[in-house]
Amino acid sequence: MKTKFTQILKQRYYLLFFFSLLVQQMHAQQQITITGKVASATGEPIPFANVVIKNTKNGAVTDFDGRYKITAASNQTLIFSSQGYKTIEIAINNATTVDATLAEDAMKLDEIVVVGYGSQQKKDLTGAVSLVKAGEIQKRQVTTVADGLQGLVTGVKVRGGGRPGQEANIEIRGLKNLQNTNPLYVIDGVITSANRDFNPNDIETIQVLKDASAAAIYGSRAANGVIIITTKKGKKGPLKVEASVKSSITTMPRYDLMGTEEFAKLNNQAYDNAGYPRQNLNMAVNTDWQDAVFQTGMINDYNVSVSGGGENSTFFMSGNYFDNKGTVVGTDFDRISFRVNASGTKGIFSIGENIAISNSKTDEMSGNPIIDVYRMTPTIPLYDAANPGGYGYGKQGVADTFGTNPLAIADFSNAINENFRIRGNVWSELKLASWLKYRFNFGYETSFDSYKFLRKIGNWTLNQPVDPSIIDQNKGRSETMLFENTLNFKKQFGKHDLTILVGQTFQKDKYEQIYGTKRNIPINSGTGQYYQVLNQGDSPVVGGFINEASLASYLGRLEYNYDNRYLFNAVLRRDGSSRFSDENKWGNFPSVSAGWRVNNESFFKSEFIKDLKLRASYGELGSGNIGNYEYKSFVNNFGQIVLGTGQTLYPSATQVKLSNSQLRWEKLKQTNLGLDLGVLNNDLRFTADYFIARTEDVLFGFPILLTTGNDGGNPISNAATVENKGIELELAYSKKINEFSFNASVNFTKVNNKLVSLGNGQNENIVGNTMTRAGSPVGMWYVLQTDGLFQNQAEIANYKNADGKVIMPGAVPGDIRFKDVNGDGQITSDDKAIVGSPWPEFEMGLNAGAEYKGFDFSMNWIASHGATVYDGFRSVVDRFDDNSNYRAGIQPWTPENPNTDFPRVTKGSTLNSRGDSDRFLENGDFIRLKYIGFGYNLPERILNKSGIARARLTLSAQNIITITKYKGLDPEFSNGNIFERGVDNGAFPNLRTYSFGVEFSF
């Protein structure tokens, strides 16, 4: 009985326990409705973000305003995610409103990367591809895309300047050839250029393809790297309007130059030391040429866009006006541009277009005022009524200088460049099956170029002849048509993921120009202005030409992914160019790459390492960057010849440029080894790449003697071989803690270039003060070496060679002592030696940012170390055999001041002013704060009543801190001559820029 009672109690206990659990479970599963908003760290709503109940498949998607509604249990957790943002989890905790703020994740592994004729997930990349957030470029005040890339990407070197309309030079992974060629730009599938006509505000994404395997799909045009840009597209949802206004003030760095009193003292001393009579300097004048020529610049950038879409179609439209009033008198650049992108889908058919129209106008800089402000002396007045045109520019015996008055040349020599460009594409896709897609793309670009030059009557330099007024105009039109057909197969077979692309492309380029010139242009008596039309004046000259080229290509790519562990990629492209003769027209460009995602292996067990991928690739790329008809002879048919006893004049034709019918493709062979590592839940990421690139059969025109009859330019040949080796490292970290988030990244690039051989039987090539020798880097410094100053006559007499010969008998105390390298007892060009390199040992970039509530901060530093550069400024102002201004504060050698490294000043000798010595070589190291910016997003509660969805204020500055020992204007100067890369000959400097911006959307 007792046992039975006990059993009953146990049963009741079990029932009670079960009932208790049931009650708890019912309470836990009490369903409530949760609403909220998903926004970015800047407060902008994130449409189409995913909101999923943790450990279930139930979820919702945010609308265009970032709002969502979901039903869940009060004790569950919501997971918020969106492409390009970090995923977060938030517990409901009985709340009916749950808002989420997602931090951007620039390194998200499932991010989609455009790689040319297709796309891949970032985690599946096997080549060296860098992604750049468009916002990093758009927040800077830049004219072109290249300007904004500086310091953001490993292996990408940018050198630009602040002249209105100036386009930066960009170099990916060092020197690939000898022509200083920019990379290939692909915008929305169109082969084009992201020049000053392109509006950077339209950019959605940027990918930089750096190694041969990544760029091989573009074959013969990808040897210098590829930059792929996709522009903004519309999104499903109601109409969205965005507008921004950014105004900037720009200022020019200044030289430290002498005023009249200090200048006169040193100038008189130079004439006295030479035994020349002093100039009759005008001491009543104290002109600051920098104040007269340099001014505060202004940049205004206005941008507006409208976008939206429905179930089957989307659109995006934008307009931009960009105006840059230069920091030098007489310079200006303005651009107006429009864009319309649209696409639609109906069943298996899709169609779309991307069209951009722009008109840019540049008032080009006349002469080089960056040099002239120190070539002109302070004793010369700005204006002189005695001179033709009324400007001051020197006078014999008073101011013997051949510098140019920048105000005068800006007035009397006007050049205007105007360009109207249309570029875009129309594409269509046919989804033949879920795994097979056909795409047709037609790209078109045309530009109408107008150049106008007016030479007014008036002089700008001493002893200049009086020239008549001249009007010179030319009109040109370029046209590019691109036809592409591609077939894409993509299918998964269990653990196998296979993508195959095959395609055919054809591109045709045409450029034609007409030009005309007239002299003695009359002036309109009513307005005092010149008639700037070609129906005025006399002595007409007219002409024109047409250039045409075409490129046909076949391409194929295979991508294979096994179990997200083993990745393989192979590309083959075959190009045929009209720029080569029939026997050398075609070139084949293959590449292979592989990746191993070690972290997905079953044996790999690590909570610390979240991502580990090894990459390897090899590829061959080509380049046909030569003129359209280089393999043919050039004939001048405008000649005349006198023949016969009657001395009759006959028309004649002469071959003026030698041809090379054996020209063939320049070929780049590149190997790349890479590693991608993510730790701490991928908050900390490290990327490393090592590459070897060798360019063979480099196309270049080395100088030949004019006695050969060649006066039409140096003939091109496949001569040199160039080799690059480099290391790229990048370390990036990002983290969000409650409402505070921050990110930081540092990148390091080291590239060594070597000219393996020159070809054509040459071992070395001398250009200016540089030597390019087989087995060494290009453009090494080849100069005389200085060895201090002679302090007395005894030192001069004792400076002998091994045979006892006095080496510099003509020197006097205070003169520079040069090294007699070859020991022949005299200083000649044979004593020159290679003393340094213009190439930096490494370059770095540092990027950092932070966000807290509505505030954000970001900055970008760049650094360069190891380059030796030539200071063209000092090579003028530190010499005294010519009349220019001098550096303020210098203390030259005198018997009373022997403890100095500055030689005695003298007008009569070039000994102390030789430009081919190491005296003007300087350390080119620098560290620069390239960008610093602050932003504030107005709170939503303030904007709700105004109808504005988002409003943002920004304040930023560029180039405001530079740490360097370089004495010129800017250590970050640019020189387009590949052999004189390190020569600063009056390059336009980067400007200090202070910007204020307003952005809003509704």
Side-chain angles (χ1 to χ4, degrees):
M1 184 70 181
K2 184 177 180 180
T3 302
K4 186 175 181 181
F5 181 76
T6 302
Q7 290 176 346
I8 292 173
L9 286 176
K10 285 183 176 180
Q11 290 175 356
R12 290 178 177 177
Y13 174 77
Y14 291 145
L15 289 171
L16 183 63
F17 179 72
F18 175 77
F19 181 78
S20 175
L21 288 177
L22 184 62
V23 170
Q24 291 179 26
Q25 185 70 14
M26 290 176 63
H27 176 74
Q29 292 181 352
Q30 182 180 356
Q31 300 291 301
I32 61 175
T33 299
I34 302 110
T35 60
K37 181 179 180 180
V38 181
S40 67
T42 60
E44 185 174 3
I46 302 176
F48 314 116
N50 294 313
V51 185
V52 178
I53 302 172
K54 190 173 182 180
N55 297 324
T56 75
K57 294 183 178 180
N58 300 327
V61 177
T62 61
D63 62 17
F64 191 78
D65 296 320
R67 299 193 178 278
Y68 73 95
K69 182 178 181 180
I70 195 170
T71 301
S74 59
N75 65 341
Q76 288 183 306
T77 298
L78 299 180
I79 301 175
F80 299 87
S81 64
S82 181
Q83 184 172 314
Y85 295 89
K86 289 191 174 183
T87 300
I88 65 170
E89 297 182 6
I90 300 178
I92 297 175
N93 288 333
N94 295 311
T96 56
T97 301
V98 178
D99 294 332
T101 301
L102 304 186
E104 288 190 15
D105 184 5
M107 299 167 290
K108 201 169 181 67
L109 295 181
D110 59 0
E111 189 171 355
I112 301 300
V113 180
V114 179
V115 291
Y117 302 100
S119 60
Q120 287 181 289
Q121 287 187 318
K122 185 177 179 181
K123 65 182 181 181
D124 295 335
L125 292 174
T126 53
V129 180
S130 292
L131 282 70
V132 182
K133 291 194 295 184
E136 291 298 317
I137 294 177
Q138 291 159 355
K139 67 186 180 184
R140 303 185 188 189
Q141 187 68 83
V142 297
T143 302
T144 64
V145 175
D147 293 306
L149 287 174
Q150 193 163 33
L152 300 179
V153 184
T154 57
V156 175
K157 181 175 181 177
V158 180
R159 286 292 183 267
R163 189 179 75 246
Q166 182 172 358
E167 296 181 1
N169 174 264
I170 182 170
E171 188 175 80
I172 298 177
R173 289 192 162 183
L175 188 66
K176 302 288 182 31
N177 51 41
L178 301 178
Q179 299 191 58
N180 213 26
T181 307
N182 279 326
L184 177 74
Y185 286 92
V186 182
I187 302 177
D188 294 326
V190 177
I191 310 298
T192 181
S193 61
N195 54 16
R196 61 192 184 186
D197 299 325
F198 179 75
N199 176 20
N201 293 290
D202 286 341
I203 298 173
E204 179 75 25
T205 65
I206 300 180
Q207 286 79 211
V208 182
L209 313 185
K210 297 186 290 187
D211 73 334
S213 69
I217 198 69
Y218 291 106
S220 64
R221 293 174 289 187
N224 298 293
V226 181
I227 297 177
I228 299 179
I229 297 173
T230 56
T231 58
K232 294 176 180 178
K233 306 295 188 294
K235 296 179 181 179
K236 176 183 174 182
L239 188 70
K240 183 178 182 180
V241 180
E242 295 183 301
S244 66
V245 178
K246 183 184 292 183
S247 292
S248 304
I249 295 174
T250 57
T251 61
M252 175 80 75
R254 298 291 185 98
Y255 303 107
D256 191 9
L257 299 172
M258 292 184 178
T260 292
E261 185 176 344
E262 188 180 12
F263 167 80
K265 177 183 176 182
L266 270 293
N267 190 258
N268 289 337
Q269 187 179 130
Y271 275 75
D272 292 346
N273 287 339
Y276 292 171
R278 295 180 176 183
Q279 295 188 95
N280 185 23
L281 299 175
N282 188 348
M283 300 299 292
V285 175
N286 188 14
T287 302
D288 188 325
W289 288 97
Q290 295 186 95
D291 277 350
V293 176
F294 299 156
Q295 60 190 11
T296 299
M298 177 68 72
I299 301 176
N300 291 304
D301 190 356
Y302 305 95
N303 201 75
V304 62
S305 66
V306 181
S307 62
E311 290 293 333
N312 300 315
S313 62
T314 61
F315 72 93
F316 171 86
M317 296 188 298
S318 72
N320 172 258
Y321 177 71
F322 182 92
D323 175 65
N324 183 0
K325 176 190 174 185
T327 53
V328 171
V329 293
T331 59
D332 185 74
F333 170 76
D334 67 77
R335 175 188 67 218
I336 185 168
S337 62
F338 300 94
R339 174 175 293 278
V340 179
N341 295 343
S343 64
T345 301
K346 182 68 173 178
I348 65 171
F349 179 73
S350 299
I351 191 169
E353 57 76 27
N354 306 278
I355 301 295
I357 302 174
S358 65
N359 189 83
S360 63
K361 184 177 180 181
T362 309
D363 188 347
E364 302 287 2
M365 185 172 70
S366 301
N368 192 337
I370 309 302
I371 294 176
D372 287 326
V373 292
Y374 58 77
R375 286 282 289 159
M376 299 294 285
T377 66
T379 60
I380 300 174
L382 293 175
Y383 305 98
D384 188 341
N387 293 329
Y391 286 93
Y393 44 71
K395 188 177 297 184
Q396 291 286 355
V398 177
D400 283 324
T401 180
F402 291 96
T404 297
N405 185 325
L407 299 181
I409 195 171
D411 186 1
F412 299 141
S413 178
N414 296 326
I416 302 293
N417 260 318
E418 190 165 3
N419 176 273
F420 178 77
R421 187 184 302 271
I422 302 172
R423 57 180 155 198
N425 68 316
V426 177
W427 59 268
S428 63
E429 287 185 353
L430 192 62
K431 195 171 185 180
L432 303 173
S434 60
W435 43 267
L436 186 62
K437 181 171 62 179
Y438 165 77
R439 180 183 176 95
F440 169 75
N441 179 52
F442 171 70
Y444 184 78
E445 179 173 357
T446 184
S447 68
F448 300 87
D449 307 325
S450 175
Y451 172 82
K452 180 184 292 185
F453 171 76
L454 175 64
R455 202 296 192 201
K456 302 177 183 178
I457 295 176
N459 287 9
W460 50 73
T461 191
L462 187 62
N463 293 338
Q464 181 182 4
V466 178
D467 291 326
S469 57
I470 299 172
I471 183 76
D472 180 15
Q473 294 186 31
N474 66 56
K475 303 285 186 181
R477 185 195 174 193
S478 68
E479 184 180 56
T480 297
M481 289 188 291
L482 175 69
F483 301 86
E484 296 181 327
N485 294 276
T486 56
L487 196 63
N488 192 70
F489 171 91
K490 183 176 180 61
K491 196 169 181 63
Q492 286 185 325
F493 308 90
K495 295 182 179 181
H496 307 273
D497 192 335
L498 182 66
T499 302
I500 299 176
L501 171 78
V502 293
Q504 167 271 331
T505 76
F506 177 77
Q507 180 174 324
K508 185 174 183 179
D509 302 311
K510 181 179 180 180
Y511 181 79
E512 53 186 333
Q513 185 185 109
I514 57 173
Y515 59 85
T517 301
K518 283 286 194 72
R519 302 167 70 88
N520 298 309
I521 308 302
I523 297 176
N524 186 318
S525 59
T527 64
Q529 302 296 316
Y530 285 82
Y531 286 101
Q532 297 189 40
V533 287
L534 287 175
N535 68 340
Q536 299 293 323
D538 54 34
S539 306
V541 176
V542 296
F545 61 87
I546 298 177
N547 283 329
E548 292 182 308
S550 58
L551 180 74
S553 308
Y554 302 92
L555 56 96
R557 177 171 61 207
L558 182 147
E559 301 169 29
Y560 175 68
N561 180 338
Y562 175 73
D563 197 24
N564 282 321
R565 290 184 289 160
Y566 309 117
L567 312 169
F568 177 77
N569 189 299
V571 174
L572 176 63
R573 177 156 175 151
R574 179 171 172 80
D575 285 330
S577 173
S578 65
R579 298 185 180 190
F580 298 100
S581 60
D582 291 341
E583 58 266 33
N584 297 309
K585 192 176 297 297
W586 290 92
N588 298 318
F589 308 103
S591 79
V592 292
S593 60
W596 179 26
R597 300 202 69 202
V598 183
N599 60 290
N600 284 344
E601 294 288 355
S602 59
F603 63 79
F604 189 86
K605 307 291 184 182
S606 175
E607 290 297 322
F608 179 70
I609 299 177
K610 292 297 182 181
D611 181 55
L612 175 59
K613 181 172 65 176
L614 304 179
R615 296 178 280 107
S617 70
Y618 172 81
E620 297 181 1
L621 302 173
S623 177
N625 187 39
I626 56 176
N628 293 331
Y629 312 106
E630 292 291 347
Y631 70 94
K632 297 180 179 180
S633 299
F634 285 73
V635 176
N636 182 348
N637 58 358
F638 293 105
Q640 290 182 322
I641 187 171
V642 178
L643 295 175
T645 57
Q647 295 293 283
T648 305
L649 191 66
Y650 293 95
S652 68
T654 307
Q655 181 176 338
V656 294
K657 185 175 183 180
L658 302 179
S659 62
N660 182 358
S661 62
Q662 301 304 310
L663 290 178
R664 57 191 179 276
W665 290 100
E666 180 180 290
K667 186 164 286 189
L668 168 71
K669 301 177 179 180
Q670 188 175 88
T671 300
N672 191 92
L673 302 175
L675 176 147
D676 299 323
L677 176 66
V679 301
L680 300 177
N681 199 30
N682 280 327
D683 288 336
L684 179 64
R685 294 195 58 81
F686 174 72
T687 301
D689 282 278
Y690 171 74
F691 64 89
I692 301 175
R694 184 184 178 96
T695 309
E696 300 174 349
D697 292 333
V698 171
L699 293 162
F700 189 72
F702 284 102
I704 64 173
L705 296 175
L706 295 181
T707 53
T708 61
N710 180 73
D711 66 352
N714 301 316
I716 304 294
S717 64
N718 293 97
T721 299
V722 177
E723 184 178 85
N724 267 330
K725 294 182 180 180
I727 298 173
E728 299 171 357
L729 306 173
E730 183 172 20
L731 184 66
Y733 181 74
S734 63
K735 189 68 175 177
K736 179 176 175 60
I737 303 174
N738 298 325
E739 293 186 89
F740 176 74
S741 64
F742 64 95
N743 64 84
S745 67
V746 59
N747 59 69
F748 172 92
T749 303
K750 179 178 177 60
V751 180
N752 295 324
N753 79 78
K754 179 174 69 173
L755 188 77
V756 178
S757 65
L758 275 168
N760 293 336
Q762 299 185 68
N763 293 318
E764 58 186 33
N765 183 49
I766 298 175
V767 177
N769 292 323
T770 69
M771 165 73 76
T772 298
R773 182 176 288 165
S776 300
V778 173
M780 299 290 282
W781 296 117
Y782 183 66
V783 292
L784 297 174
Q785 299 175 72
T786 57
D787 189 23
L789 305 178
F790 291 114
Q791 293 296 329
N792 50 58
Q793 196 63 43
E795 288 187 5
I796 298 171
N798 292 328
Y799 186 41
K800 303 176 181 178
N801 69 351
D803 297 329
K805 180 180 178 181
V806 177
I807 297 172
M808 298 179 64
V812 298
D815 283 345
I816 297 173
R817 176 168 50 217
F818 294 97
K819 291 183 179 180
D820 181 19
V821 174
N822 65 357
D824 65 354
Q826 56 184 337
I827 303 301
T828 66
S829 294
D830 293 333
D831 293 308
K832 291 182 178 180
I834 295 177
V835 300
S837 171
W839 306 96
E841 293 181 15
F842 65 83
E843 294 185 300
M844 296 182 67
L846 171 65
N847 302 281
E851 298 174 354
Y852 179 70
K853 294 186 177 179
F855 295 90
D856 60 87
F857 159 79
S858 60
M859 67 177 179
N860 165 235
W861 292 80
I862 61 172
S864 177
H865 171 73
T868 300
V869 298
Y870 187 90
D871 189 346
F873 161 65
R874 279 210 308 119
S875 72
V876 175
V877 298
D878 283 5
R879 59 184 291 175
F880 283 77
D881 63 318
D882 189 14
N883 283 304
S884 297
N885 205 349
Y886 316 128
R887 276 191 302 136
I890 61 171
Q891 299 294 324
W893 188 96
T894 64
E896 298 76 27
N897 181 40
N899 298 319
T900 180
D901 61 355
F902 200 100
R904 74 185 185 100
V905 297
T906 177
K907 171 68 176 173
S909 171
T910 60
L911 182 63
N912 294 331
S913 59
R914 295 193 63 155
D916 59 347
S917 76
D918 63 5
R919 181 186 175 196
F920 304 118
L921 294 180
E922 298 183 20
N923 185 336
D925 293 357
F926 69 88
I927 300 173
R928 167 166 281 175
L929 178 58
K930 194 66 183 176
Y931 171 87
I932 184 170
F934 301 88
Y936 177 65
N937 296 280
L938 273 65
E940 187 177 331
R941 55 183 171 78
I942 297 178
L943 301 176
N944 282 337
K945 297 180 180 179
S946 65
I948 297 176
R950 173 178 174 266
R952 173 175 169 80
L953 306 177
T954 61
L955 185 65
S956 63
Q958 295 170 213
N959 305 313
I960 57 172
I961 298 177
T962 303
I963 303 171
T964 185
K965 294 181 179 179
Y966 181 63
K967 296 182 177 66
L969 279 188
D970 186 4
E972 197 190 339
F973 63 84
S974 174
N975 190 319
N977 187 327
I978 203 71
F979 297 102
E980 295 186 295
R981 176 65 64 86
V983 178
D984 182 2
N985 275 335
F988 206 105
N990 288 269
L991 305 177
R992 295 183 182 94
T993 304
Y994 306 89
S995 304
F996 175 74
V998 177
E999 306 168 19
F1000 59 91
S1001 61
F1002 53 88

